[in-house]
């Protein structure tokens, strides 16, 4: 009884009322922000750890709110998922990202995060293909990042969607590996093209033996399944060296740069002669 009492929402608690109010305001504002073009793609460099070259970018959503400034995706993606707005948000973001990346050097790929909610939509592959055709961006330059959580809500549907995307030449990465429920069996059952090791492990391996062992195991599983491994959250040269030594093919993180908008990405690529 004590447990139940502690977990029950207290609707008269002013802090609770305030936070519900804040959430509702955010939801209303988000509904207007998507068609207004306030949700924009930022781009985070992906580096080949052996050559040091930029090989692609991960697309990360940013909300440029006219009053509150930049709002983090951790605040608005969950609301978009709960309200079904994630589909329109994703369409808008993909369109902007494809149009921006279309003119870059064709060797550069982009990786887009797809929410578990979107993997419940059997029409997702057709929707993405339509956007590729409309923008003229090549399917071969697109990678979709899917978290483990997304896969096991409805594995047969996820399998079918992943199969359709792959038939079009789109690549699939397993995101945030190590934080969810994957087993080696799942890794084998689904035709991933890449594994991304969550930054919590990448950042923990300096201090902690278990994380180092886990990252080493993931890297060798990747190698044995012929899957390249990307390390997220590389913040310094020591982390880069460790991840390279463990066999990670690619890295991302603040060492290379924070995510930047399309205009700044263009400037960066012009400097590197990658336009
Ligand atoms: P994620 O997919 O794991 O993205 C990586 C996050 O780590 C990004 O945060 C990125 O800015 C941050 N990051 C990158 N390098 C470093 C580093 O060296 N150190 C640290 N401390 N952090 C680093 P961000 O942009 O705030 O995104 C948070 C999460 O929101 C993403 O995690 C992803 O799950 C979700 N998200 C972002 N954009 C989208 C989107 O367009 N659609 C969906 N469904 N989810 C998105
Ligand atoms: Ca991601
Ligand atoms: Ca990730
Ligand atoms: Ca993450």
């Amino acid at each position: 009884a004590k447990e139940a009492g502690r977990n029950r929402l207290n609707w008269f608690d002013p802090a609770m009322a305030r936070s519900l109010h804040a959430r509702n305001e955010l939801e209303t504002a988000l509904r207007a922000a998507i068609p207004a073009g306030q949700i924009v793609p930022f781009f985070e460099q992906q580096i080949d750890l052996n050559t040091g070259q930029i090989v692609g970018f991960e697309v990360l959503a940013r909300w440029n709110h006219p009053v509150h400034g930049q709002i983090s995706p951790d605040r608005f993606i969950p609301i978009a998922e709960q309200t079904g707005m994630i589909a329109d948000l994703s369409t808008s973001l993909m369109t902007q990202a494809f149009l921006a990346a279309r003119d870059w050097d064709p060797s550069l790929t982009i990786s887009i995060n797809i929410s578990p909610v979107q993997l419940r939509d059997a029409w997702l592959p057709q929707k993405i293909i339509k956007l590729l055709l409309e923008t003229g961006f090549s399917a071969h330059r697109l990678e979709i990042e899917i978290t483990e959580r997304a896969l096991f809500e409805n594995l047969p549907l996820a399998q079918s969607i992943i199969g359709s995307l792959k038939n079009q030449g789109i690549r699939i990465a397993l995101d945030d590996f190590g934080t969810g429920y994957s087993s080696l069996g799942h890794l084998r059952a689904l035709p991933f093209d890449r594994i991304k090791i969550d930054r919590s492990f990448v950042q923990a391996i300096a201090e902690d033996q278990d994380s180092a062992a886990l990252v080493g195991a993931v890297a060798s599983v990747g190698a044995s399944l012929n899957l390249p491994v990307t390390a997220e959250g590389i913040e310094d040269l020591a982390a880069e060296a460790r991840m390279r030594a463990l066999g990670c093919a690619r890295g991302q993180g603040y060492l290379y740069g924070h995510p930047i908008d399309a205009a700044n990405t263009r400037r960066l690529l012009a400097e590197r002669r990658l336009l």
Side-chain angles (χ1 to χ4, degrees):
K2 209 174 167 194
E3 276 297 304
R6 203 186 306 141
N7 292 331
R8 200 181 304 136
L9 293 176
N10 182 354
W11 299 101
F12 302 103
D13 176 350
M16 176 66 72
R18 259 200 309 281
S19 83
L20 280 173
H21 179 71
R23 193 217 169 271
N24 289 339
E25 278 203 342
L26 210 58
E27 178 180 334
T28 304
L30 183 60
R31 209 171 284 284
I34 299 166
Q38 289 173 14
I39 313 292
V40 299
F42 268 50
F43 297 90
E44 178 175 324
Q45 299 175 46
Q46 297 175 322
I47 304 295
D48 180 322
L49 291 183
N50 294 308
T51 65
Q53 296 291 309
I54 301 175
V55 287
F57 291 86
E58 178 172 356
V59 176
L60 295 161
R62 294 289 180 270
W63 181 354
N64 287 327
H65 191 283
V67 177
H68 301 298
Q70 204 173 76
I71 302 175
S72 148
D74 290 331
R75 288 199 67 200
F76 65 82
I77 295 287
I79 295 176
E81 290 175 338
Q82 288 155 18
T83 56
M85 288 189 263
I86 191 71
D88 285 344
L89 189 158
S90 183
T91 297
S92 164
L93 208 62
M94 277 194 261
T95 305
Q96 296 175 72
F98 295 164
L99 288 174
R102 192 173 57 176
D103 305 328
W104 302 345
D105 186 283
S107 69
L108 296 168
T109 59
I110 59 173
S111 305
I112 295 211
N113 294 287
I114 290 293
S115 135
V117 175
Q118 294 175 274
L119 272 195
R120 289 186 214 137
D121 174 8
W123 292 99
L124 179 71
Q126 280 84 343
K127 289 177 180 170
I128 294 176
I129 290 151
K130 179 165 170 277
L131 295 177
L132 289 168
L133 290 171
E134 283 170 1
T135 57
F137 188 72
S138 162
H140 299 276
R141 295 178 60 194
L142 176 61
E143 182 172 82
I144 299 281
E145 298 192 0
I146 297 171
T147 58
E148 301 171 62
R149 171 168 72 103
L151 298 171
F152 309 117
E153 289 180 2
N154 186 342
L155 188 58
L157 182 57
Q159 260 169 327
S160 131
I161 290 175
I162 290 172
S164 306
L165 292 169
K166 288 200 53 122
N167 282 339
Q168 299 293 323
I170 297 167
R171 275 169 298 212
I172 312 291
L174 179 58
D175 199 6
D176 295 351
F177 186 79
T179 61
Y181 326 92
S182 314
S183 67
L184 297 182
H186 292 130
L187 271 180
R188 278 221 317 242
L190 291 154
F192 296 113
D193 298 288
R194 167 180 308 284
I195 303 171
K196 298 187 73 175
I197 303 184
D198 192 65
R199 75 160 184 267
S200 56
F201 298 105
V202 175
Q203 295 176 345
I205 68 172
E207 299 112 53
D208 147 22
Q209 285 296 318
D210 292 347
S211 298
L214 185 115
V215 172
V218 170
S220 57
V221 165
S224 68
L225 294 174
N226 243 324
L227 292 179
V229 176
T230 297
E232 306 184 317
I234 295 181
E235 292 185 351
D236 50 45
L237 288 166
E240 180 189 65
R242 280 194 300 272
M243 299 319 290
R244 195 193 293 112
L246 287 169
C248 292
R250 289 191 182 181
Q252 314 178 204
Y254 296 165
L255 173 63
Y256 313 105
H258 286 254
I260 49 178
D261 68 12
N264 283 315
T265 304
R266 230 190 129 68
R267 271 191 279 279
L268 171 73
L269 291 173
E271 281 168 21
R272 305 283 178 90
R273 311 213 176 284
L274 281 170
L275 268 190

